[in-house]
């Protein structure tokens, strides 16, 4: 569609706001500030509800990457087949992978207390940062972690250890922010599957070393109140977001086109009638 104006075809494709493209975030900064305020203390959850594709992940990402707190670049994406062990394992890997992310400023790769955790959890045949484990980012690795050597108790112990070490080494009193996506009922997970998983892992939400952003379709908070009652007290705030306005969409297009080096071309090449037809499609 956009080639006729000599713009790249994917100039306005859907992609999530991440650590690298925060400047593309449009509107909703007041919403993200509300999220950021709600995740200042540990053992706490902020729920972001909304339809698929409205930008829940981006709102959460903008809040946590703007906070200045330690947070893995990759958000955890829940899989219906996860056990409690799977959850803890993927959580641990996401944190360690962040410590190995190229260009980070943590400088903890050689720390004598953390280095053994790298060796315990990450595939040593891979090079550098590789978000390729089950549940987040990219494809799955060809080699998996040996479950026989990692009991659930060991993983929980190491999770607490690395949480304490990160906050101490980075001189950070605030909790580590974790974003958990895909908590969608009847869209990848049945009610029974989600109820079972949340009941299984709810203890981690009480851990003061961490604070949580949970994204889900509308109805998640109500579901928790009815079916995961011990977890409801840990949800401090629920935010519902809707589709972006037409003016916001125009601003998104303008930012992306400007970033591609086309200056103000959007005003001359893509008039409101054309943009409105794209918005409504």
């Amino acid at each position: 569609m956009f080639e006729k104006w000599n713009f790249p075809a994917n100039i306005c494709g859907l992609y999530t706001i991440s650590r690298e493209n925060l400047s593309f975030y449009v509107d909703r900064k007041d919403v993200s500030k509300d999220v950021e305020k709600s995740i200042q203390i540990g053992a706490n959850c902020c729920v972001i509800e909304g339809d698929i594709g409205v930008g829940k992940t981006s709102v959460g990402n903008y809040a946590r990457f703007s906070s200045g707190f330690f947070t893995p670049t990759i958000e955890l994406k829940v899989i219906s087949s996860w056990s409690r062990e799977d959850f803890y394992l993927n959580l641990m890997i996401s944190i360690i992978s962040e410590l190995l992310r190229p260009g980070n400023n943590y400088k903890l790769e050689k720390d004598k207390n953390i280095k053994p955790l790298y060796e315990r959890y990450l595939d040593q045949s891979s090079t550098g940062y590789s978000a390729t484990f089950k549940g987040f980012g990219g494809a799955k690795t060809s080699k998996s972690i040996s479950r026989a050597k990692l009991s659930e108790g060991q993983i929980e112990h190491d999770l607490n250890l690395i949480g304490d070490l990160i906050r101490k080494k980075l001189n950070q009193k605030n909790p580590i922010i974790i974003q958990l996506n895909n908590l969608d009922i009847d869209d990848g997970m049945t009610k029974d599957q989600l109820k079972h998983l949340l009941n299984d892992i709810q203890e981690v939400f009480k851990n003061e070393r961490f604070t949580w952003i949970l994204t889900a379709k509308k109805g998640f908070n109500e579901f928790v109140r009815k079916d995961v009652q011990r977890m409801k007290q840990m949800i401090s705030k629920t935010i519902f977001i809707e589709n972006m306005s037409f003016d916001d969409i125009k601003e998104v297009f303008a930012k992306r086109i400007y970033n591609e080096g086309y200056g103000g071309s959007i005003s001359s090449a893509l008039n409101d009638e054309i943009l409105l037809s794209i918005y409504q499609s």
Side-chain angles (χ1 to χ4, degrees), residues 135-272:
F136 61 95
K140 297 178 182 178
T141 54
S142 57
K143 295 180 69 176
S144 60
I145 293 174
S146 173
R147 300 280 180 87
K149 296 180 181 179
L150 294 173
S151 68
E152 185 178 307
Q154 176 73 67
I155 299 172
E156 289 189 50
H157 172 271
D158 290 342
L159 192 59
N160 290 336
L161 175 63
I162 199 167
D164 288 337
L165 287 171
I166 287 173
R167 293 203 293 173
K168 180 180 178 180
K169 297 291 184 180
L170 301 182
N171 195 27
Q172 174 180 305
K173 295 181 180 179
N174 300 92
I176 294 168
I177 304 173
I178 304 294
Q179 183 158 321
L180 192 59
N181 287 357
N182 295 10
L183 295 168
D184 300 321
I185 301 171
D186 297 329
D187 192 355
M189 298 189 80
T190 65
K191 282 188 176 182
D192 285 343
Q193 287 173 325
L194 186 56
K195 178 180 178 180
H196 179 75
L197 177 63
L198 291 177
N199 275 305
D200 250 8
I201 67 174
Q202 61 181 302
E203 289 301 318
V204 78
F205 297 127
K206 300 177 183 178
N207 192 324
E208 65 177 10
R209 300 168 181 83
F210 303 95
T211 189
W212 301 81
I213 297 173
L214 312 179
T215 73
K217 291 197 302 185
K218 186 177 181 180
F220 175 81
N221 197 30
E222 181 180 356
F223 166 77
V224 168
R225 288 202 310 270
K226 291 180 178 179
D227 293 276
V228 197
Q229 293 188 4
R230 286 183 295 173
M231 182 181 168
K232 66 180 181 180
Q233 64 192 22
M234 289 168 274
I235 297 178
S236 64
K237 193 173 189 66
T238 299
I239 295 171
F240 182 75
I241 61 173
E242 301 184 14
N243 286 319
M244 298 177 74
S245 68
F246 176 55
D247 286 341
D248 292 337
I249 292 294
K250 286 174 61 177
E251 187 177 348
V252 169
F253 285 4
K255 284 191 173 185
R256 294 187 184 183
I257 288 173
Y258 182 84
N259 189 65
E260 292 291 330
Y262 293 95
S265 298
I266 188 170
S267 59
S268 57
L270 301 180
N271 59 39
D272 279 7

Side-chain angles (χ1 to χ4, degrees), residues 75-83 85-87 89-91 93-94 130-141 143-145 147:
E75 61 274 359
L76 285 177
K77 299 174 183 178
V78 174
I79 294 177
S80 60
S81 60
W82 266 5
S83 65
E85 182 185 13
D86 290 325
F87 171 80
L89 194 61
N90 281 275
L91 175 56
I93 292 169
S94 72
S130 179
T132 56
F133 292 86
K134 177 182 177 184
F136 61 95
K140 297 178 182 178
T141 54
K143 295 180 69 176
S144 60
I145 293 174
R147 300 280 180 87

Side-chain angles (χ1 to χ4, degrees), residues 26-43:
V26 170
D27 191 47
R28 292 178 173 169
K29 290 184 179 179
D30 55 337
V31 178
S32 287
K33 285 179 180 178
D34 283 344
V35 175
E36 190 175 332
K37 288 178 183 177
S38 72
I39 54 176
Q40 298 289 318
I41 59 173

Side-chain angles (χ1 to χ4, degrees), residues 1 10 14 30 40 52 62 66 74 78 104 106 111 126-127 132 141 157 181 195-197 206 242 276 279:
M1 170 178 280
N10 65 345
L14 294 175
D30 55 337
Q40 298 289 318
I52 292 175
Y62 187 86
S66 299
I74 304 297
V78 174
N104 77 71
Y106 311 127
D111 185 275
S126 61
T127 56
T132 56
T141 54
H157 172 271
N181 287 357
K195 178 180 178 180
H196 179 75
L197 177 63
K206 300 177 183 178
E242 301 184 14
L276 185 60
Y279 175 69

